[in-house]
Amino acid sequence: MGRAGAKGHAQQLGSGLRVLWRRVAGPQSSAGCMGSSNRGGVGGTPGRRALLATCAASPGYTAGVGAAEGSGPRVCILGGGFGGLYTAVKLESLMWPRGTKPQVTLIDQSERFVFKPLLYELVSGAASEEEVAPHFAQLLGPYPVTFVQGRVHSVQPEHATQDGGSTGGGVVTLSDGASVPYDWLVVSLGAETSTFGLPGVKECALPFSTYEDAQRVAARLQLLEELVGYPEVVVVGGGYAGVELAAVVAERLRGRARIKLVTSTADILPGSPQGNREAAHRVLADQGVSILTGAQVTEMRKARAGSSGGLSSGGSNGASSSSSVGIGGAGTAVGPDLAKRLVYVKDRTGQQEVLEADMVLWSAGQAPATKAAAQPPPGALKLPFSTNSRGAMQTDATLRVLHHSRVFALGDVAVSSGGQEQPPLPATAQVAFQQADYVAWNLWASINNKPLLGFSYQHLGDMMSLGTTGGAVTLPISVPPQLSAAVAAAGPLAGLLKAAGVKLSGSYGGGSDGVTLEGPLGAAVRRAAYLYRQPTLEQQLRVAGDWAQSASKQLRQVLADAARK
């Protein structure tokens, strides 16, 4: 090996060791404008604080977490959900030829990444906020990724083409006027709660999609537990979100409330595996949750204080308590808002019914965040990308936005249509996980002039939470007819599988049905899967440690209770 070759290998080894040290020792071990990994503050040693102050004072520095390494192309990622964050982390794990490693900037309006499938555990108290909603500062500390907290206002591409597309980079403008230039853009802005324009929903109901939503729901539940003897709760939406939310609320209130689940469909969980649907029905029935199917919500109102029923209400805009704080009316200037919510529903025959509730939870719909760009009110998001009827950006098979050669889109805001209307993929985390891998690789391929890969979604199963220690996981595994028949015969094998929480379906035909894991086993498998899917190794270890500590505490409590008995 020549002297030049040896020198090159030594440089690669040194670079690899530096990356490994950063990931093990954290951001304080790296020189440069790196953000602190503590809870959003600066922190660190006095010398480090001085270094950060110097970086902040330098021209062109954007306050945030981390600083991009190298002088490669600028990759800007809009949205720090599953798709955006995982794309940023994946880009850092790829091997880049010299001079091509991109400078990655991640923009999100929140300071926290939210692991949305675990929001239910935040309401029940089964998980801490560090597990469910860690700060981007904490997650990105070991990585050379610049984080900018801000709301995206508009995107202005350069090198426009006659068909309305672009062939180069551009500039992202934030709502505070700051701008971030890019050479390559990734749009992963996620979905937002949609009320379908129904009157009174925003004023009377609490959505459940963000970390802040979960906090408001938990606070409202605590208020009802303290001040209302037997509260009434209405959950609107019969999909996974509504069923999981109804289960966790029922478990928390422990039979001391009347809970109704309202869905416009003929049954809950339409289109889901039969095993999950049956498990959900059993759990909700055991918890006393009544299900109202075929019921379409038409409007909501807030009853005047001290009134009951629909005879005295505050109008369809829910303005009977004008000093209400927050979505759904968290409180007033003189005390908590305990006014009844009136939910007007209509069945398929047109018969109307009014449901009274102390709390209404809305999980009936979400829309791509890019939908606002298609019909923007003043001050709304402005994007130059074409969208389909749902408001999702249209991409080709490689997830590259149509007519924009340097823009990719993934997650809830994207549909791989090739210009044709296609059924959307499920708005789930596993779709975003898989798309992030493809987008990161296709960015690498684009920058290095290599062929791009077409995205192919692989369905891995359906998981749901049914309380703190309950769950259901259906895996798309084909069950041999002989085994299915043996289980159906109700012999010893059937009893053993039932006791373990395993159900086999003989109706598997390439869809989602197959093997369903229920109860504590389903809950354990679900948590293990989400542990594996934590965005970084550091977060995996942190969450695993918290879970081990919690399990140890529960075991000690069980042993102590047994000893007393």
Side-chain angles (χ1 to χ4, degrees):
M1 179 184 298
R3 183 175 300 176
K7 181 178 179 181
H9 280 288
Q11 290 175 341
Q12 290 181 2
L13 177 61
S15 176
L17 290 174
R18 285 194 296 273
V19 172
L20 178 62
W21 173 249
R22 276 196 304 271
R23 295 195 178 189
V24 173
Q28 294 186 7
S29 62
S30 303
C33 304
M34 293 288 288
S36 169
S37 62
N38 64 6
R39 294 169 57 87
V42 176
T45 61
R48 177 168 176 74
R49 288 194 291 269
L51 176 62
L52 285 170
T54 302
C55 291
S58 64
Y61 175 76
T62 303
V65 178
E69 291 183 337
S71 57
R74 299 163 297 183
V75 174
C76 183
I77 302 174
L78 308 184
F82 286 109
L85 177 62
Y86 283 63
T87 298
V89 173
K90 185 67 176 180
L91 284 171
E92 292 301 320
S93 70
L94 298 175
M95 298 295 292
W96 294 89
R98 184 183 300 276
T100 66
K101 184 174 182 178
Q103 306 170 66
V104 181
T105 299
L106 177 67
I107 301 176
D108 194 271
Q109 63 184 356
S110 173
E111 65 178 354
R112 294 175 180 268
F113 163 72
V114 181
F115 203 101
K116 288 190 176 182
L118 295 178
L119 278 177
Y120 311 98
E121 277 80 351
L122 200 61
V123 173
S124 66
S128 65
E129 66 176 20
E130 287 77 14
E131 299 172 47
V132 181
H135 287 76
F136 284 108
Q138 173 182 294
L139 293 174
L140 294 175
Y143 299 88
V145 175
T146 299
F147 173 66
V148 177
Q149 183 179 353
R151 181 182 291 273
V152 177
H153 175 262
S154 63
V155 173
Q156 181 61 50
E158 300 172 350
H159 308 294
T161 58
Q162 292 184 350
D163 59 3
S166 63
T167 59
V171 176
V172 175
T173 302
L174 306 182
S175 58
D176 62 359
S179 62
V180 180
Y182 68 86
D183 299 304
W184 299 85
L185 183 68
V186 178
V187 183
S188 182
L189 292 170
E192 298 177 342
T193 298
S194 174
T195 63
F196 307 111
L198 293 177
V201 174
K202 288 185 178 180
E203 294 78 13
C204 298
L206 291 171
F208 194 80
S209 179
T210 67
Y211 169 73
E212 291 75 18
D213 292 342
Q215 285 185 310
R216 283 190 284 266
V217 170
R220 182 70 181 179
L221 283 172
Q222 182 177 356
L223 181 69
L224 296 181
E225 288 173 318
E226 294 174 352
L227 300 180
V228 180
Y230 197 79
E232 296 176 293
V233 179
V234 171
V235 180
V236 182
Y240 277 115
V243 170
E244 292 177 286
L245 194 53
V248 74
V249 169
E251 181 184 64
R252 174 162 173 169
L253 296 178
R254 299 178 183 276
R256 299 189 302 270
R258 181 180 294 108
I259 302 173
K260 291 186 175 71
L261 177 61
V262 179
T263 177
S264 60
T265 55
D267 197 2
I268 60 173
L269 303 178
S272 69
Q274 180 180 350
N276 278 13
R277 189 160 52 250
E278 292 176 352
H281 271 291
R282 283 192 292 270
V283 170
L284 294 179
D286 291 343
Q287 293 177 336
V289 177
S290 59
I291 301 174
L292 187 60
T293 61
Q296 181 71 49
V297 174
T298 58
E299 67 172 307
M300 296 184 191
R301 300 181 184 181
K302 189 182 293 185
R304 291 192 179 93
S307 68
S308 176
L311 299 179
S312 179
S313 60
S316 62
N317 64 355
S320 60
S321 180
S322 59
S323 57
S324 297
V325 179
I327 299 177
T332 67
V334 296
D337 177 12
L338 297 179
K340 289 282 188 180
R341 277 69 172 157
L342 307 178
V343 181
Y344 292 76
V345 299
K346 183 171 58 176
D347 64 20
R348 295 182 178 179
T349 66
Q351 188 71 26
Q352 182 173 277
E353 181 181 359
V354 181
L355 307 178
E356 290 190 1
D358 298 285
M359 177 170 69
V360 180
L361 300 175
W362 180 264
S363 63
Q366 291 199 324
T370 50
K371 186 173 184 178
Q375 299 176 338
L381 179 67
K382 297 180 176 63
L383 296 178
F385 312 119
S386 61
T387 59
N388 68 356
S389 58
R390 295 178 53 252
M393 296 169 57
Q394 296 180 324
T395 74
D396 61 20
T398 69
L399 300 177
R400 184 164 50 186
V401 176
L402 297 182
H403 311 304
H404 294 269
S405 59
R406 290 198 172 191
V407 182
F408 291 85
L410 73 159
D412 298 326
V413 300
V415 56
S416 181
S417 63
Q420 302 295 323
E421 289 288 336
Q422 298 288 341
L425 290 171
T428 60
Q430 66 171 302
V431 172
F433 291 147
Q434 296 180 34
Q435 288 182 332
D437 284 341
Y438 279 81
V439 168
W441 172 259
N442 284 338
L443 279 169
W444 183 96
S446 298
I447 292 171
N448 291 285
N449 297 315
K450 301 296 182 182
L452 277 62
L453 294 177
F455 173 66
S456 178
Y457 171 61
Q458 181 181 6
H459 185 66
L460 302 177
D462 296 80
M463 300 188 296
M464 63 185 305
S465 168
L466 291 172
T468 304
T469 59
V473 178
T474 298
L475 305 174
I477 300 174
S478 181
V479 179
Q482 297 85 349
L483 180 57
S484 180
V487 173
L493 178 59
L496 181 62
L497 292 177
K498 182 178 180 180
V502 179
K503 180 182 178 181
L504 306 182
S505 173
S507 62
Y508 177 78
S512 296
D513 290 326
V515 178
T516 301
L517 311 178
E518 302 180 16
L521 177 61
V525 170
R526 172 180 171 272
R527 293 295 291 269
Y530 288 145
L531 173 62
Y532 173 74
R533 281 299 189 179
Q534 291 295 322
T536 66
L537 175 60
E538 294 80 10
Q539 182 67 5
Q540 285 180 348
L541 297 175
R542 187 177 296 111
V543 172
D546 289 343
W547 288 0
Q549 185 177 7
S550 177
S552 176
K553 181 179 179 180
Q554 292 177 1
L555 179 59
R556 289 196 301 269
Q557 184 63 45
V558 169
L559 294 176
D561 293 342
R564 283 195 297 269
K565 293 180 180 179

